[in-house]
Amino acid sequence: MEVNIEARRILAVSISKLYASRTQRGGLRLHRSLLLSLVMKSARDIYHSSRESEALSGAQSTPEEPMDTSSTPELPERQPAPLSEKNSSETAVEESDNKVEDYDLDTTEDKENLSPARQSRKRRGKASAAPDFLPNKRARLEPGEEREGDKIGPCWTVLSGGIFNSVST
Amino acid sequence: MQCGISAGKGIQLEGPGGDMQWCFSQVKGAIDDDVAEADIISTVEFNHTGELLATGDKGGRVVIFQQEVENKNLPQFRSEYNVYSTFQSHEPEFDYLKSLEIEEKINKIRWLPQKNAAQFLLSTNDKTIKLWKISERDKRPEGYNLKEEDGRYRDRNTITALRVPVLIPMDLMVEASPRRVFANAHTYHINSVSVNSDNETYLSADDLRVNLWNLEITDRSFNIVDIKPANMEELTEVITAAEFHPHQCNTFVYSSSKGTIRLCDMRVSALCDKHSKLFEEPENPSNRSFFSEIISSISDVKFSHNGRYIMTRDYLSVKIWDLNMENRPVETYQVHEYLRSKLCSLYENDCIFDKFECCWNGNDSVVMTGSYNNFFRMFDRGQRRDATLEASRENSKPLQVLKPRKVCTGGKRKKDEISVDSLDFNKKILHTAWHPQDNIIAVATINNLYIFQDKVN
């Protein structure tokens, strides 16, 4: 349980660091961003496994829906359901992973003009929500609705969305 | 870096046993506690003879100190260094295409071996490498026919005879001029430059690529390592440092954020993506934590002078690798193991991202690296001894021998020990340098440069 709290705290700290690094002089640092995302992944994984063990031991958390991690381009779906901080933190990390692909500014592909659908490969679980330690909630998307460049939304998706985009200078 | 010099000369004292002891010699830089960001020292490097000591700072300036010639033969005064040249190497730039500012901070300085009267060094910021020529002028011509001494043109009618201008002595003037600018070759931030032993080429490394340059040619470089994945989502490691072998001009190494070192041979292929050797130590599973990846990232890699060993610095330790053994280091030295239980706080205050450098002494018997609280550590490989010393203004009196420091890791704190919680994590020594031939060391705190020498009997 303590590990759980620790993992959440580390996630919160990591996200605020990612956010702060966007305004850093000299541009985003790839090495630092990579390390931050690795810590977030670790924290997320530990959070997952501790939640799973809680669920197994009959704790009262709601069962998670399995994440569909197929590579079909899907719109990010976020619902303000009051549970599963795990999924949100996973979302944050996945977003940062997803946005890595947009970092490639010196190839011939026009990455900057990718549609948001293409950018987010992973479908968010229906039970995802903004956890209490993160600032905002994200509006639920209707099917077919596009989110403009993923630029709106809680800061934690915006910030992780851009880390690898802007690192290259 | 301002150059208010507080000079104190270390004088030899008898010490117990045969231990090497260090004396304070000089400290350079502003005294006040309010540190101007531009004055933060970002790199320190002796030249190949040790006569010159260069520092770079966050403001893009390079300051070069020169060893006092008269003192070279006086053992106790041989570590007196005075300002030789100061110049602005890099300016802040703006990349309009990407809307990003390019910092002027000097990431690395590397000296070229001296070939003639002038000195040459490479200095680099995040994007651009420059070759600087530092030359002395101690004579000036006098007796021009058409001009007066103050530069005004003489009235032609008054010129009745021709004379040959003569060179007369003048006060020494040291001039620094940029001879080459190597730009636009790096998409990511440059972390290393290294001059090849062939004295013709050098490498520069950023997060994902290593480029090979000819010192004479600025509009072209060869990419010799490229670890950028086709899909950036698959990025798992970056290059953190790179260096050429000191003697073999075909060999270089680069370290990664995953704690591995790759040795590459440029004769094998044009693109050295396949390493010739991979140095990696399996992780100790009992040390696993949220921050394992961060602390295993290598912040510096240095060949020994004899070219047989590589030294790497990660967050908590220094490792020595034998080039002939890839599966584990031959020596591991703990720099500040007491920080392992504090990694979470160090992550929160960003200290865990600090990049410490390390250096060898001239005969590869001792290695040195920095720590927090303005402590720095020395590891004597042969005698299996280590020391913790402190660079501070309190210990900067003339005659002062540095007293070994000790961090209390638990239990009762002895007198003179400092507890882990009292360490000042804002006072960090990231950059240190060792004179190539002598026991003189330069240790950079945030904005001051300390010079110490071993005590002479």
Side-chain angles (χ1 to χ4, degrees):
Chain A
M1 194 52 202
E2 253 185 47
V3 171
N4 210 347
I5 296 170
E6 182 76 351
R8 280 176 46 182
R9 196 163 73 82
I10 289 172
L11 270 170
V13 168
S14 307
I15 285 163
S16 65
K17 282 187 193 301
L18 272 174
Y19 188 66
S21 61
R22 284 164 69 94
T23 52
Q24 219 173 25
R25 201 170 161 245
L28 282 167
R29 307 247 150 208
L30 184 62
H31 186 194
R32 182 184 165 92
S33 306
L34 178 68
L35 294 177
L36 284 173
S37 67
L38 290 172
V39 170
M40 285 168 69
K41 266 194 201 151
S42 283
R44 177 198 69 179
D45 293 343
I46 290 179
Y47 190 84
H48 279 185
S49 55
S50 73
R51 286 298 291 251
E52 271 168 21
S53 60
E54 268 181 45
L56 281 171
S57 66
Q60 92 281 26
S61 59
T62 342
E64 250 81 68
E65 303 216 353
M67 302 291 290
D68 178 12
T69 55
S70 68
S71 55
T72 355
E74 286 285 350
L75 291 171
E77 249 182 77
R78 272 168 206 86
Q79 303 185 8
L83 61 83
S84 186
E85 295 152 14
K86 154 200 128 172
N87 279 346
S88 308
S89 50
E90 184 166 328
T91 304
V93 178
E94 282 167 350
E95 279 264 283
S96 73
D97 287 356
N98 289 341
K99 295 306 180 276
V100 169
E101 74 184 315
D102 293 328
Y103 179 50
D104 192 359
L105 293 176
D106 58 346
T107 64
T108 51
E109 273 196 52
D110 186 6
K111 293 280 188 186
E112 283 188 60
N113 295 322
L114 279 177
S115 71
R118 168 90 196 275
Q119 289 173 2
S120 313
R121 286 186 353 193
K122 294 175 182 169
R123 191 212 298 264
R124 305 309 179 255
K126 293 207 188 81
S128 70
D132 48 15
F133 60 88
L134 291 175
N136 294 319
K137 291 191 178 177
R138 191 157 179 161
R140 178 189 167 172
L141 283 176
E142 300 303 323
E145 216 179 278
E146 279 212 0
R147 197 177 295 283
E148 193 197 36
D150 265 354
K151 292 219 165 52
I152 48 176
C155 65
W156 54 269
T157 51
V158 170
L159 62 89
S160 56
I163 50 165
F164 292 116
N165 270 337
S166 325
V167 171
S168 139
T169 55
Chain B
M1 186 174 88
Q2 291 179 44
C3 291
I5 299 172
S6 151
K9 300 199 184 2
I11 297 182
Q12 62 276 27
L13 291 174
E14 287 293 330
D19 293 359
M20 181 157 51
Q21 289 189 285
W22 291 90
C23 307
F24 170 81
S25 172
Q26 292 175 292
V27 59
K28 314 283 190 191
I31 298 175
D32 37 83
D33 287 333
D34 216 6
V35 179
E37 192 162 328
D39 292 343
I40 294 174
I41 298 171
S42 50
T43 185
V44 180
E45 187 82 355
F46 278 103
N47 76 335
H48 293 269
T49 60
E51 185 202 350
L52 297 176
L53 175 60
T55 61
D57 65 22
K58 228 175 164 199
R61 291 162 299 194
V62 171
V63 180
I64 301 175
F65 301 91
Q66 184 186 42
Q67 201 174 18
E68 264 312 311
V69 171
E70 291 104 45
N71 292 343
K72 260 201 213 152
N73 298 321
L74 297 169
Q76 62 271 34
F77 299 127
R78 70 197 196 280
S79 60
E80 179 177 333
Y81 282 79
N82 296 317
V83 178
Y84 179 67
S85 173
T86 305
F87 56 94
Q88 186 76 33
S89 170
H90 287 71
E91 298 274 6
E93 287 172 46
F94 197 78
D95 181 337
Y96 296 98
L97 199 60
K98 292 165 187 166
S99 273
L100 285 166
E101 195 175 2
I102 300 169
E103 275 191 286
E104 67 277 28
K105 171 167 78 91
I106 307 296
N107 292 335
K108 283 286 176 336
I109 289 173
R110 290 289 181 261
W111 290 93
L112 270 57
Q114 192 173 12
K115 275 198 255 191
N116 52 38
Q119 300 278 356
F120 288 87
L121 61 79
L122 288 170
S123 70
T124 185
N125 70 349
D126 283 338
K127 295 289 171 180
T128 304
I129 306 132
K130 293 187 184 179
L131 177 70
W132 287 88
K133 176 180 178 182
I134 296 106
S135 48
E136 292 183 1
R137 189 196 293 268
D138 62 356
K139 295 182 188 48
R140 63 180 176 84
E142 200 176 70
Y144 285 109
N145 289 292
L146 300 178
K147 283 195 284 191
E148 304 286 1
E149 294 312 318
D150 58 8
R152 278 180 304 139
Y153 281 98
R154 290 169 73 187
D155 181 359
R156 297 289 177 100
N157 300 323
T158 63
I159 301 172
T160 53
L162 275 181
R163 56 184 177 171
V164 178
V166 294
L167 291 173
I168 59 165
M170 61 179 250
D171 287 340
L172 178 67
M173 191 165 73
V174 181
E175 301 169 316
S177 59
R179 305 303 285 178
R180 306 270 187 279
V181 177
F182 304 91
N184 301 320
H186 286 280
T187 310
Y188 305 94
H189 295 102
I190 296 174
N191 52 54
S192 313
V193 290
S194 177
V195 183
N196 204 348
S197 52
D198 66 6
N199 280 344
E200 287 181 7
T201 57
Y202 76 94
L203 64 75
S204 59
D206 66 28
D207 292 316
L208 296 180
R209 297 193 176 101
V210 180
N211 292 334
L212 181 71
W213 301 83
N214 183 302
L215 284 163
E216 300 293 331
I217 298 170
T218 59
D219 60 356
R220 202 176 322 170
S221 74
F222 292 95
N223 177 242
I224 53 177
V225 174
D226 188 340
I227 64 167
K228 185 175 177 195
N231 181 1
M232 277 296 278
E233 248 187 71
E234 292 159 20
L235 180 74
T236 54
E237 68 182 322
V238 298
I239 297 170
T240 52
E243 197 182 48
F244 266 118
H245 190 281
H247 316 132
Q248 296 168 14
C249 57
N250 54 287
T251 305
F252 67 94
V253 293
Y254 68 91
S255 59
S256 85
S257 55
K258 271 191 172 169
T260 63
I261 307 101
R262 286 173 176 79
L263 182 136
C264 300
D265 185 334
M266 295 195 292
R267 298 170 300 187
V268 172
S269 71
L271 191 60
C272 299
D273 276 359
K274 283 203 179 59
H275 52 263
S276 298
K277 294 195 187 201
L278 173 67
F279 299 87
E280 186 175 16
E281 182 179 30
E283 191 196 348
N284 182 350
S286 63
N287 281 336
R288 186 109 190 93
S289 76
F290 287 114
F291 309 105
S292 297
E293 281 106 349
I294 300 190
I295 64 171
S296 65
S297 177
I298 292 174
S299 50
D300 195 15
V301 67
K302 291 265 173 42
F303 272 103
S304 60
H305 291 93
N306 60 20
R308 291 171 48 196
Y309 298 97
I310 307 165
M311 168 166 55
T312 58
R313 175 68 154 101
D314 52 68
Y315 190 64
L316 296 179
S317 67
V318 163
K319 294 180 182 172
I320 313 279
W321 305 77
D322 187 318
L323 280 189
N324 299 318
M325 189 161 76
E326 296 169 61
N327 60 352
R328 60 177 173 81
V330 289
E331 295 152 40
T332 302
Y333 301 105
Q334 301 301 335
V335 180
H336 36 218
E337 181 70 11
Y338 46 80
L339 295 183
R340 193 181 288 276
S341 55
K342 309 272 178 205
L343 293 179
C344 197
S345 321
L346 294 165
Y347 180 69
E348 286 177 37
N349 65 16
D350 262 5
C351 285
I352 207 173
F353 298 102
D354 286 335
K355 295 189 178 151
F356 291 94
E357 292 175 6
C358 53
C359 61
W360 298 85
N361 74 338
N363 61 12
D364 300 331
S365 60
V366 185
V367 297
M368 172 168 67
T369 189
S371 178
Y372 293 103
N373 210 72
N374 282 348
F375 287 172
F376 57 102
R377 300 268 282 138
M378 281 190 194
F379 301 97
D380 188 325
R381 300 173 61 210
Q383 305 201 349
R384 307 235 132 245
R385 264 205 299 246
D386 63 279
T388 305
L389 301 171
E390 183 180 0
S392 74
R393 292 267 174 182
E394 285 77 38
N395 300 331
S396 52
K397 299 186 204 44
L399 303 166
Q400 187 148 16
V401 174
L402 294 183
K403 205 172 56 166
R405 302 305 310 262
K406 194 148 163 54
V407 177
C408 161
T409 52
K412 203 153 170 250
R413 187 177 75 85
K414 297 195 189 78
K415 179 176 178 284
D416 285 349
E417 283 186 359
I418 180 165
S419 72
V420 180
D421 297 314
S422 312
L423 294 173
D424 187 342
F425 290 96
N426 293 319
K427 292 187 178 166
K428 53 193 88 170
I429 290 176
L430 303 176
H431 311 286
T432 59
W434 204 307
H435 190 292
Q437 287 146 19
D438 200 347
N439 283 328
I440 300 171
I441 55 176
V443 171
T445 59
I446 292 291
N447 67 331
N448 285 171
L449 183 73
Y450 286 78
I451 300 174
F452 303 106
Q453 64 167 69
D454 66 340
K455 77 167 179 59
V456 176
N457 294 319

